[in-house]
Every structure is written in C-alpha cells, then in structure tokens.
Amino acid sequence: MSTSQPDASRWAGGRTPDSVLHARTGTDVSPEDIVLAAGRDITPRNLEWAKRKIETEGPAALDKLLP
C-alpha cells in the first residue's frame, strides 16, 4: 500500500530533513494539523483546544509547534 508520507529511513540517520517537515505553503491550518503537530491524539477535547489556539494565534500556531 502506498502512502503520501515520506519514508524517513531513506535519509541519513533515519531523520527527516527540516525542509520536508515544513510543507505548509498557504495559511489554511486545520485543528487536526495543530493536534498532530503537538503530538496529541485527535480527540474532541484536543480539537477544541486546537480551534481556540488557531483563533488566538492564527496560522502561526502551527509554526510555533513545528521544529
């Protein structure tokens, strides 16, 4: 089965390069993006937290969570 996620094992040391991690080109940030970037499970409670974070911080909320 093919996935759209890059295979990190093909990069040196198994680490994904920073240029691959920062793929957002627009300003559309979903609550799911925020939850996953924070390393949390997608649950109703976490989605509400992410919605509030987007409302207060805008798209920069995602940038603050990414390395």
Side-chain angles (χ1 to χ4, degrees):
M1 177 168 73
S2 176
T3 63
S4 61
Q5 302 225 347
D7 181 8
S9 64
R10 65 183 162 183
W11 292 297
R15 297 188 64 193
T16 305
D18 194 53
S19 62
V20 174
L21 293 173
H22 294 274
R24 185 170 64 86
T25 58
T27 58
D28 295 335
V29 175
S30 72
E32 290 84 359
D33 294 334
I34 299 293
V35 170
L36 294 174
R40 299 180 179 192
D41 292 327
I42 296 180
T43 64
R45 182 178 179 187
N46 287 339
L47 289 172
E48 285 303 316
W49 164 81
K51 287 177 189 176
R52 289 190 307 272
K53 194 164 181 63
I54 292 170
E55 288 172 4
T56 59
E57 300 177 22
L62 183 61
D63 296 330
K64 292 177 182 178
L65 292 169
L66 294 175

